[in-house]
Structure formats: structure tokens, C-alpha cells
Amino acid sequence: MHPPPRFRPRAGPRPATAAMGLLVALTPASPSAGQSAPDDAALRTTLQQLVPELLARHRVPGATLAVVRDGRIAFTLTFGVRRAGEPTPVNDRTVFQAASLTKPVFALGVHRLVAEGRLDPDRALTAYIDTLWVEDPRVHELTARVVLSHTTGFPNWRPGRWGPEPGPLRIGFAPGTGFQYSGEGYMYLQHVVEAITGMSLDTYLRQGVLEPLGMRDSGLVWSDRFEANHASPHDADGVPQTKRRPDSAAAAGTLQTTATDYARFLLALLSPQTGDTAFPADIDAMLEPQVRIDERLAWAAGVAIDGSAGDRVFWQWGDDGTFKAIMAGSRERRTGVVVFTNGQNGLNVARAVVERVLGAQAFLDFRMLNYR
């Protein structure tokens, strides 16, 4: 019996678009000199002093973060309030909108299907579903690998994507030949996952990823249990906005979660053997670079990779307008961090936290990736 196919970098380069480079396999280097991490107590004290100042400066009402180190959650911290003008503080079970931090969780669910032999990462996705949704023969070139590495040729979102009459979904370049960040690609792969499993995405990820990792305060659709303790979104002036409560799952961005829960997911990426049993997915393959973004950055099969600081840091941003988040981790340093904020200016807060935990990173220059 042949073993199931696995995600690995493609054998040899393929043509690239004029805008982006060839597929690569970045080699992790030893951590740079001077990158030794501060001890947990010192780092915790630094963040306790820094984050309230940043929240006030950038008009962000609340935040929560967790630091993972050496196979454990080193600490979590909470700051500010769940909703401006109200006294209820953020605590370690306050639920935040994860936005695109949903994508790596979904990717891990896809890798689980690959490890189980239920999905071939290089087989056309059209072999798994009946409805194509795209009037372009190149749709048959879309695979799970292509989607997870953002090389579908789809835009991030088609015109009117969330309206009553969304525009057509178009492929802008030959799949697999260039990089274009795309939520649409993840939504397309969601249909395949649901067809393979016979479950809604919310049910599959709950049973296949969230529950096995102990993420009990998380879900991809809104639940009544979130009502008592959730963060409200805020605009750039810190004014509360309407909280969206998704009634259907979206692989690109509907995860509701806490910093502690997401830290458990980070543990799986950093130390997949931690715990009583190994997580049943090829997590190493999820971190293998597939396509170059520029000389410092690449995208793997579910997360991005930054090699600018001497080691190889995986990361993903979350941005739905009024909730902002970042997660990042280094296997070489066995360290990771996740930050959730409930304000439009929250990436300014999250960036500073990542810099304190992992040092300067190229991806923290938010102008370098036009993902809208």
C-alpha cells in the first residue's frame, strides 16, 4: 500500500510572473548573534509597561496576548476593556475576531486530510467537487498546494464578494506561477474540504483541529457562549462599531478565539510532538516555503515565512478592519507570540509586541504586502 502524498516543495522552479519570483526552499539559518530571548519574567514586565502606553497612543481600547516558549504557554496578558465607555476589562477568556489568523488553522485541517490520505495536495481540486464556480479552463490547475501558498491567480476578494450579487471570480495569471494573497482561494478550498468530509467547515475544524488541540473557547461560527465575554470592534478613533456574528464558517476569516486558545495552536506548529500524542498532520510540511514574495519573504503551505532575522519565522496577520491581530513563531528559538486587539489601529500595538518577543522582522513593515 503506497503512503499518502505529502506536501513538499515542488521539484524544480516553474515560470514566474513579472511581479513575483520563483518557487524557493529557504534554508533556515542559525539564530543571529544577539537574538537570545529575554527571560519570561523580564519580558512579561516589559510588555506590561509597553502595551498600555501603545493602546492609549493608538486609541485601541483592549488587547490580549500570549507568549509560547519551550513547548509551553509561558504567559498570557490582558489589557484594557472589551468595549470603550464600559468598565468590563478584557480577561484571558475574552473572545476576539481572529480575521485571517483563521487561515493557518484551516490549513492545519487541510494538512490533516493529506496525512490521512483523503486529499492529494497536487491533485486538481475540480476532481473533488461538482460545481466549479469559475469560467476559466485554468481552474483545473488549482490544487490544495496552490491555494495554501496563495498562487491561485485569484484576487483577495472579487468585487461585491459579501454583497447580494457578487461579481465573477476570475483567475489573473496561470496558477502556481506567481504570488497573490487571496481569501477567495481559501474559500474555494473550503468547498473541497466540506465535500471530502461531508461536514460543514465549522464542524470539521471543531472536531479535527480545535478540540484535539484543546481550543475550547473557539469556533468559526458565532455561539451563544461567546455573548457573555467578547470584545467589540472599534474604529481608528476608538469608537465602538457593530460586532459581526458569523452564522456560517469562512476559511478565510471567521474564527472567534482567545489568545490562550490560539497559543495552543502555536504550540502545535512549534512543537508538534508536545502532549500525549502527536497531532495527526504533517506540520513540518505546512512550514515548507513554496513561493517567494521578495528576497526576504516567502509563503509556505498555510503560513508566511520571514528569513530576514537569521532564523526562519512563520507568521500571519489578521485584519478585518476593526479587529487586528498577529501571530508569529520561530522553531529555532522555540518561541511564539499571538496578539489580538479590538481596534482599527491595533497592528501598531501588535507589531511592537512581536518586536519585543522575536526581534525586528521584515514582515512588520506592513507596506510590503498589498493583500487587499
Side-chain angles (χ1 to χ4, degrees):
M1 193 172 184
H2 295 294
R6 307 175 74 198
F7 277 90
R8 287 291 177 259
R10 295 186 182 93
R14 297 177 63 185
T17 62
M20 293 295 168
L22 300 175
L23 301 171
V24 296
L26 295 180
T27 301
S30 300
S32 298
Q35 282 190 337
S36 58
D39 65 69
D40 292 343
L43 178 60
R44 183 183 185 123
T45 298
T46 296
L47 295 176
Q48 286 174 324
Q49 296 171 346
L50 173 68
V51 174
E53 297 173 1
L54 293 171
L55 293 177
R57 184 189 312 165
H58 297 291
R59 299 180 183 176
V60 178
T64 181
L65 66 89
V67 172
V68 173
R69 185 125 59 199
D70 297 326
R72 62 188 172 85
I73 299 175
F75 59 84
T76 61
L77 294 173
T78 61
F79 305 91
V81 296
R82 298 181 344 210
R83 183 177 177 87
E86 298 181 5
T88 308
V90 173
N91 62 39
D92 60 3
R93 297 194 68 179
T94 299
V95 172
F96 282 72
Q97 169 72 32
S100 284
L101 266 62
T102 308
K103 291 183 176 76
V105 176
F106 170 68
L108 187 57
V110 173
H111 281 265
R112 178 168 188 158
L113 292 178
V114 173
E116 293 171 349
R118 303 169 70 186
L119 173 65
D120 183 335
D122 294 308
R123 187 182 185 191
L125 296 180
T126 53
Y128 297 96
I129 51 179
D130 296 326
T131 305
L132 305 184
W133 293 285
V134 181
E135 295 182 3
D136 187 320
R138 294 177 294 181
V139 70
H140 299 290
E141 299 174 32
L142 300 179
T143 66
R145 184 194 303 277
V146 164
V147 169
L148 294 180
S149 59
H150 292 286
T151 59
T152 58
F154 287 147
N156 189 19
W157 298 116
R158 74 184 87 173
R161 175 61 167 89
W162 304 109
E165 297 183 5
L169 180 55
R170 304 187 189 280
I171 298 175
F173 54 80
T177 65
F179 176 84
Q180 169 61 53
Y181 188 91
S182 177
E184 291 285 2
Y186 275 63
M187 299 296 286
Y188 196 91
L189 183 54
Q190 173 178 337
H191 294 298
V192 174
V193 169
E194 290 175 332
I196 290 171
T197 63
M199 303 177 186
S200 69
L201 184 65
D202 176 59
T203 299
Y204 170 63
L205 288 185
R206 176 167 45 82
Q207 295 181 3
V209 177
L210 303 182
E211 290 179 353
L213 294 181
M215 298 173 67
R216 299 179 183 86
D217 291 327
S218 302
L220 271 77
V221 298
W222 192 255
S223 169
D224 290 343
R225 62 196 170 94
F226 299 151
E227 286 293 346
N229 192 359
H230 70 86
S232 296
H234 297 79
D235 67 14
D237 294 319
V239 177
Q241 304 297 300
T242 300
K243 173 72 175 80
R244 293 192 292 272
R245 293 165 168 78
D247 57 9
S248 60
T254 62
L255 178 66
Q256 317 291 314
T257 191
T258 67
T260 302
D261 264 13
Y262 209 90
R264 295 185 175 105
F265 171 72
L266 267 178
L267 278 174
L269 299 189
L270 289 165
S271 307
Q273 304 301 318
T274 298
D276 296 332
T277 59
F279 191 80
D282 189 356
I283 295 174
D284 287 345
M286 184 171 167
L287 305 181
E288 289 286 354
Q290 302 291 320
V291 64
R292 180 181 289 280
I293 299 172
D294 62 23
E295 68 278 4
R296 303 165 298 175
L297 303 168
W299 215 280
V303 294
I305 303 294
D306 185 336
S308 64
D311 59 348
R312 194 165 76 178
V313 172
F314 61 83
W315 57 274
Q316 173 75 55
W317 298 337
D319 177 357
D320 78 341
T322 49
F323 282 105
K324 303 293 176 80
I326 293 178
M327 75 88 170
S330 166
R331 277 191 164 183
E332 287 80 6
R333 282 179 270 170
R334 294 173 55 81
T335 298
V337 59
V338 58
V339 187
F340 292 112
T341 72
N342 63 349
Q344 186 172 333
N345 299 324
L347 285 180
N348 294 310
V349 179
R351 172 172 54 191
V353 171
V354 173
E355 287 177 339
R356 293 309 186 281
V357 178
L358 291 170
Q361 305 290 326
F363 80 86
L364 294 173
D365 177 3
F366 299 137
R367 297 166 298 177
M368 64 84 199
L369 180 60
N370 180 15
Y371 63 96
R372 292 191 177 278

